[in-house]
Amino acid sequence: MKIEQIYTGCLAHAAYYIESNGEAAIIDPLREVQPYINRAKLDDAKIKYIFETHFHADFVSGHLDLKEKSGAQIVFGPTAKPSYDAIIAEDGQIFEVGDYKIKVIHTPGHTMESTTYLLIDQNGKEHGIVTGDTLFIGDVGRPDLAQKIASDLTQEKLAGYLYDSLRNKIMPLSDDLIVYPNHGAGSACGKNMSKETTDTLGHQKEVNYALRADMTKEEFIAELLDGLSEPPAYFPQNVMMNIQGYESFDKVMTKSQKPLAPKDFEAAANDTEAVVLDVRHQNEFVKGHIPRSIFIGIDGGFAPWVGALIADVSQPILLVAPKGREEEVITRLSRVGFDNVIGYLEGSFDAWKKEGMEYDTLTSISAEEFEKRYEDNKDVVFDVRKEGEFAAEHIDGAKNTALDSINNHLNEFPEDKPFYVHCAGGYRSVIAASILKSRGIHNLIDVAGGYSAIKNTSLPRTDFVCPTTLK
């Protein structure tokens, strides 16, 4: 069976391209849809269907743009109620794509409309299942997103639906089926996904905690909800964009790619409520940046951190990007619904400095220098890693203020003396520092290299505890 998996590291998201005998289908397309059009043209195939496993929360799907450009029909599973024309399939309904068949299996739990697609080849053999956010490799979908849209759908109720879907719809299927999930490690749509992108269903029954044969519904709900972190703030907004519709990707790209000279960039920043978002490498930001700008580097966990720290997807944004990468940055912002980029700094930060514009720097020291200062400052060390990372191992006396909730803890940072901030490798601590500085807190010192560098010193640390044993 011809099925191509398309993976993107920034979202850890997989879309699927299926082609058979001159017809094609796309399952859960990303927002920039031209590659799918080009792929079908290469195969001399017509895109017949666009299958959506559910209303996505972590990204804006490309289904509407793809329908407009290809003429294909959008298909959702049972109970979906989009604000645009689409086929709402019945449980068990079969769609034909060339010689292949795609069977709808309604698997509510992650969301109520969540659907798994069973792929059947030209010989009638069941080949695999595209599971969306129902079943991952090593994990299952989180059951707390739909409650942000409908309050009566508690996470406990959704977890119960997911248990039934897995036991009654997925686990009875053949062990040799290939599982094609929509996410892998790094996605916020689960809590412990594997870095592997496919597996057999039989092996998942053996190793996936959520598919344990002797697990009761009560045990499943308890284990699934244990340690589940708060989802990023932008998730419900992306869901509504996927339900109600959105501005076309082409229009977003056209209006957003607006180069601004330094003086015009400064005027735009002063005249609007725009966030100045600097996406260069953290080392460059440390050496110099526009005052009150926020750093979130394009070469780190960019899109999820933007979504977690800039709460409103409609927020106007001015970009400071590496020269030549402006289109890439705007694309990646648009994937997660941030469509209101109003321009970028032409010539990047070099142009700003050459113009003699005011800029700020960030104090950053090595782990070795931090070791020398530790004894006199151990009461003012802030670790911005996640709670689980901190619990596994940390510097003696350090305080844990996770980056994704830093805006809720600004009053915990001292005003009368310097304090130190670190993360795992140096990326998140610079994000944290930029947020603090934008809030008027400047008495901070970044520890370059983060905990990875600190481990090479003699600083006192707690004994390591494997995260899998933590409760």
Side-chain angles (χ1 to χ4, degrees):
M1 183 167 196
K2 184 173 184 178
I3 175 168
E4 181 179 343
Q5 186 181 46
I6 303 169
Y7 234 81
T8 63
C10 67
L11 293 172
H13 171 75
Y16 297 93
Y17 169 85
I18 300 166
E19 190 276 331
S20 170
N21 197 26
E23 293 185 346
I26 315 294
I27 302 180
D28 290 333
L30 287 172
R31 192 161 183 187
E32 61 274 31
V33 301
Q34 195 57 45
Y36 306 115
I37 303 288
N38 296 342
R39 188 70 182 85
K41 284 183 179 178
L42 188 65
D43 288 336
D44 195 24
K46 178 182 179 180
I47 300 176
K48 186 176 182 181
Y49 295 114
I50 304 157
F51 292 97
E52 290 288 324
T53 55
H54 62 292
F55 293 119
H56 303 281
D58 64 316
F59 75 102
V60 178
S61 179
H63 56 314
L64 293 174
D65 283 347
L66 188 53
K67 177 185 178 181
E68 179 68 23
K69 291 190 173 188
S70 70
Q73 293 180 291
I74 299 171
V75 179
F76 281 98
T79 78
K81 296 179 181 179
S83 299
Y84 42 82
D85 182 52
I87 296 173
I88 308 304
E90 297 178 2
D91 191 18
Q93 187 170 345
I94 291 178
F95 294 83
E96 295 184 357
V97 178
D99 296 329
Y100 301 158
K101 293 181 174 62
I102 298 177
K103 183 177 179 179
V104 173
I105 304 177
H106 188 209
T107 49
H110 175 67
T111 64
M112 289 307 294
E113 78 284 349
S114 285
T115 295
T116 294
Y117 294 107
L118 175 63
L119 310 178
I120 304 169
D121 70 16
Q122 66 271 29
N123 299 314
K125 178 176 172 54
E126 295 179 352
H127 167 84
I129 44 175
V130 178
T131 53
D133 287 22
T134 295
L135 174 63
F136 300 127
I137 307 304
D139 201 359
V140 292
R142 59 188 304 158
D144 60 336
L145 300 183
Q147 67 178 354
K148 303 292 183 180
I149 306 300
S151 58
D152 61 316
L153 290 173
T154 66
Q155 60 183 9
E156 290 80 10
K157 183 183 292 186
L158 286 160
Y161 286 134
L162 184 56
Y163 176 88
D164 292 335
S165 292
L166 292 167
R167 261 67 190 171
N168 301 329
K169 298 289 190 72
I170 300 296
M171 292 178 69
L173 297 172
S174 174
D175 284 353
D176 63 358
L177 288 179
I178 300 172
V179 178
Y180 296 102
N182 275 125
H183 296 288
S187 170
C189 291
K191 61 180 181 178
N192 193 34
M193 283 178 252
S194 168
K195 65 180 180 180
E196 302 300 325
T197 59
T198 61
D199 194 8
T200 63
L201 180 57
H203 188 245
Q204 281 301 295
K205 291 177 186 178
E206 295 175 4
V207 301
N208 192 320
Y209 77 95
L211 303 187
R212 205 170 65 235
D214 61 350
M215 180 182 274
T216 67
K217 181 179 286 191
E218 290 71 24
E219 289 172 335
F220 175 87
I221 293 172
E223 288 195 37
L224 184 58
L225 300 184
D226 182 45
L228 195 62
S229 60
E230 184 73 14
Y234 78 99
F235 270 26
Q237 298 171 75
N238 274 201
V239 171
M240 295 311 297
M241 291 176 74
N242 284 320
I243 292 174
Q244 297 176 351
Y246 48 81
E247 190 171 20
S248 77
F249 177 76
D250 291 343
K251 289 182 179 179
V252 170
M253 297 303 294
T254 298
K255 74 174 186 181
S256 298
Q257 294 186 75
K258 184 179 179 181
L260 297 170
K263 295 289 187 183
D264 296 328
F265 189 94
E266 181 183 49
N270 291 333
D271 294 343
T272 68
E273 297 294 324
V275 167
V276 177
L277 180 62
D278 192 324
V279 305
R280 298 172 298 146
H281 191 276
Q282 60 262 31
N283 293 346
E284 294 178 312
F285 185 89
V286 165
K287 294 174 185 176
H289 56 268
I290 296 172
R292 295 176 299 282
S293 59
I294 300 298
F295 164 78
I296 305 178
I298 188 65
D299 291 323
F302 177 65
W305 282 120
V306 169
L309 298 171
I310 303 177
D312 185 1
V313 297
S314 64
Q315 168 67 51
I317 294 173
L318 286 163
L319 288 177
V320 181
K323 284 184 281 189
R325 298 186 68 182
E326 296 87 0
E327 181 177 352
E328 175 193 353
V329 176
I330 294 167
T331 296
R332 290 175 62 177
L333 286 169
S334 183
R335 283 179 181 169
V336 290
F338 288 83
D339 290 347
N340 200 12
V341 173
I342 61 176
Y344 64 86
L345 180 59
E346 188 173 20
S348 194
F349 187 70
D350 289 342
W352 185 270
K353 286 183 68 176
K354 287 178 182 177
E355 193 71 21
M357 310 287 280
E358 178 188 0
Y359 69 91
D360 200 355
T361 60
L362 172 61
T363 303
S364 184
I365 62 173
S366 67
E368 291 75 21
E369 177 62 26
F370 176 56
E371 182 180 17
K372 296 175 184 176
R373 303 184 185 190
Y374 171 74
E375 281 300 324
D376 295 328
N377 298 279
K378 54 187 175 183
D379 62 324
V380 285
V381 179
F382 291 85
D383 185 333
V384 299
R385 294 177 299 161
K386 294 180 180 179
E387 182 180 348
E389 295 174 275
F390 182 84
E393 188 178 16
H394 59 266
I395 301 170
D396 278 345
K399 302 173 180 64
N400 183 216
T401 306
L403 174 59
D404 52 6
S405 61
I406 195 168
N407 284 311
N408 300 324
H409 299 277
L410 297 178
N411 61 350
E412 296 176 10
F413 296 94
E415 299 178 0
D416 57 345
K417 57 183 175 181
F419 61 90
Y420 299 84
V421 179
H422 80 84
C423 61
Y427 177 80
R428 285 176 285 176
S429 63
V430 176
I431 297 176
S434 74
I435 291 172
L436 294 174
K437 285 175 71 67
S438 75
R439 302 293 192 271
I441 302 172
H442 297 281
N443 52 313
L444 56 90
I445 300 169
D446 172 63
V447 181
Y451 198 74
S452 295
I454 289 168
K455 288 171 70 172
N456 295 323
T457 70
S458 299
L459 283 164
R461 307 189 305 274
T462 60
D463 292 334
F464 177 76
V465 179
C466 182
T468 59
T469 67
L470 295 171
K471 293 298 182 183

